[in-house]
């Protein structure tokens, strides 16, 4: 395995990530629905009238300002709205960050998973027990996420920028510009904002995605349902994509919101951390808000996983003699 496994995983991941980027952007926009653009809503408490009324007047004035939540719309409507308001090119906003993220995160996780799989596979049966697959996925996902977190933060911000009011937009020109501005304005530590969530999500995604793909593929081949060809690869990929989507969506929603929050000097941040974000999200929008964006998640995770593993299998065949 060695470098070859990293190369195979990197090529497949970059192709899969770039080709499904618009679906990922729509997913991020959906996950941010219901979030207020007001930096610190608690600061808007009461408003005193500019003039006084007679004490005998029986008129009551509102003492709080309530901001009604925006209507929630589906993935197709969001896609159309993005094209209408921002242009078709907005669907690939942040694609440079996606490519960098796949280069760092996915290349690392796929390569390490391949190394562990090679070492932990039973030489007699040529199979690896499911528990070992899951453990290999957890380890490789954690390491990959730690390496790729800066690109992940940049990708989320670039994808979400168009939904902000014009005066609040960051207007990053590229992933390099995004990383540079974050480092200068918010400190280098901001590049690893939400890294705990990123690592948790990556562990869940990698363990569920890679382990379920290998397990489904082995079951199909062992039972003789199909030969080791593209049909088997596509079927196992859909299984892996569904399992990964169900397992990771709640963490993904919280991760997206924490990474996207705007922190300004002297202003209390919207969320104090992952747990605070989860509690506020559930309180304001209900527990099912943690599965917000699930349709575009699985719509993206399905094609992404299919492209990832089908491409990976083809690249392996091409590089078999190297």
């Amino acid at each position: 395995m060695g470098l070859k496994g990293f190369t195979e995983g990197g090529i497949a991941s970059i192709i899969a990530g770039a080709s499904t980027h618009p679906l990922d952007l729509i997913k991020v926009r959906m996950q941010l629905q219901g979030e207020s653009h007001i930096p610190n809503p608690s600061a808007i408490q009461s408003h005193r009238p500019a003039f006084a009324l007679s004490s005998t007047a029986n008129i009551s004035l509102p003492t709080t300002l309530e901001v009604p939540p925006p209507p929630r719309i589906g993935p197709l409507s969001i896609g159309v709205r993005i094209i209408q308001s921002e242009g078709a090119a907005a669907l690939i906003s942040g694609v440079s960050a996606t490519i960098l993220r796949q280069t760092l995160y996915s290349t690392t996780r796929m390569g390490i998973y391949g190394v562990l799989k090679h070492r932990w596979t039973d030489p007699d049966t040529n199979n690896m027990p499911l528990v070992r697959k899951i453990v290999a996925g957890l380890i490789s996902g954690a390491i990959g996420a730690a390496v790729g977190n800066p690109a992940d933060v940049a990708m989320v911000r670039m994808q979400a920028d168009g939904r902000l009011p014009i005066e609040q937009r960051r207007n990053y020109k590229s992933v390099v510009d995004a990383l540079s501005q974050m480092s200068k304005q918010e400190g280098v530590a901001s590049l690893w904002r939400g890294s705990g969530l990123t690592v948790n999500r990556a562990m869940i995604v990698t363990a569920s995605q890679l382990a379920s793909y290998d397990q489904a593929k082995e079951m199909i081949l062992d039972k003789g349902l199909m030969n080791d060809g593209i049909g088997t690869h596509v079927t196992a990929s859909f299984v892996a994509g569904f399992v990964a989507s169900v397992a990771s969506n709640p963490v993904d929603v919280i991760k997206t919101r924490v990474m996207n929050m705007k922190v300004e000097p002297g202003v209390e941040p919207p969320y104090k951390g992952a747990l605070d974000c989860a509690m506020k999200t559930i309180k304001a929008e209900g527990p099912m808000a943690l599965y917000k964006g699930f349709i575009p998640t699985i719509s993206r995770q399905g094609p992404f996983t299919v492209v990832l593993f089908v491409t990976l299998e083809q690249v392996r065949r091409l590089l078999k003699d190297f």
Side-chain angles (χ1 to χ4, degrees):
M1 293 300 292
L3 182 61
K4 182 181 175 184
F6 285 86
T7 303
E8 293 169 347
I11 293 172
S13 299
I14 291 170
I15 293 174
S19 61
T20 58
H21 179 80
L23 294 173
D24 193 48
L25 183 143
I26 291 173
K27 177 205 71 175
V28 167
R29 296 288 182 94
M30 286 196 72
Q31 290 175 339
L32 293 172
Q33 281 190 92
E35 235 189 357
S36 173
H37 294 310
I38 301 173
N40 186 12
S42 61
I44 305 175
Q45 293 290 339
S46 61
H47 301 269
R48 300 178 65 183
F51 59 90
L53 295 175
S54 169
S55 59
T56 59
N58 189 21
I59 300 177
S60 61
L61 294 175
T63 58
T64 59
L65 178 64
E66 295 183 0
V67 181
R72 297 176 182 176
I73 56 179
L76 184 60
S77 298
I78 285 182
V80 172
R81 181 174 293 183
I82 290 172
I83 294 173
Q84 290 176 340
S85 60
E86 304 170 46
L91 291 175
I92 57 171
S93 297
V95 70
S96 60
T98 292
I99 293 174
L100 178 61
R101 176 178 180 268
Q102 297 299 336
T103 302
L104 298 175
Y105 159 64
S106 288
T107 299
T108 302
R109 72 174 184 129
M110 298 288 286
I112 293 176
Y113 181 84
V115 171
L116 295 176
K117 180 181 176 182
H118 181 70
R119 291 185 178 181
W120 292 352
T121 295
D122 188 334
D124 296 327
T125 63
N126 202 31
N127 287 334
M128 183 167 66
L130 179 59
V131 174
R132 290 188 180 181
K133 291 172 186 170
I134 293 173
V135 173
L138 293 173
I139 294 172
S140 56
I143 298 173
V147 172
N149 198 83
D152 207 355
V153 177
M155 182 188 71
V156 167
R157 290 191 175 195
M158 292 175 74
Q159 289 177 333
D161 210 38
R163 69 179 285 275
L164 296 172
I166 295 177
E167 66 276 4
Q168 294 183 22
R169 292 181 185 176
R170 300 176 176 102
N171 296 317
Y172 298 137
K173 298 176 183 177
S174 66
V175 63
V176 175
D177 182 49
L179 296 175
S180 175
Q181 285 196 42
M182 280 189 285
S183 299
K184 292 178 181 177
Q185 297 173 5
E186 305 172 45
V188 176
S190 66
L191 300 180
W192 275 269
R193 178 173 295 151
S195 58
L197 286 166
T198 305
V199 169
N200 290 335
R201 177 188 178 276
M203 292 172 68
I204 293 171
V205 168
T206 306
S208 58
Q209 186 185 65
L210 301 188
S212 59
Y213 174 78
D214 282 345
Q215 192 70 19
K217 180 181 173 183
E218 287 176 10
M219 290 177 64
I220 292 172
L221 295 178
D222 289 345
K223 294 181 181 298
L225 300 176
M226 284 185 279
N227 296 323
D228 188 6
I230 193 168
T232 298
H233 304 157
V234 170
T235 303
S237 297
F238 271 118
V239 173
F242 179 78
V243 173
S245 298
V246 173
S248 67
N249 203 87
V251 180
D252 199 27
V253 170
I254 303 304
K255 175 186 77 75
T256 296
R257 295 192 174 196
V258 170
M259 285 184 168
N260 187 59
M261 70 176 177
K262 196 165 188 178
V263 179
E264 299 177 354
V267 179
E268 184 181 348
Y271 310 117
K272 298 176 182 177
L275 182 60
D276 182 54
C277 179
M279 297 302 295
K280 285 182 176 177
T281 299
I282 293 172
K283 183 178 180 180
E285 305 167 50
M288 288 308 296
L290 297 179
Y291 276 92
K292 187 172 288 185
F294 180 75
I295 298 301
T297 292
I298 198 169
S299 298
R300 182 258 181 187
Q301 192 72 255
F304 173 85
T305 308
V306 170
V307 175
L308 173 66
F309 287 115
V310 170
T311 304
L312 180 63
E313 297 284 1
Q314 297 304 312
V315 172
R316 281 175 176 169
R317 291 183 180 181
L318 290 173
L319 300 180
K320 183 170 61 174
D321 297 330
F322 288 88

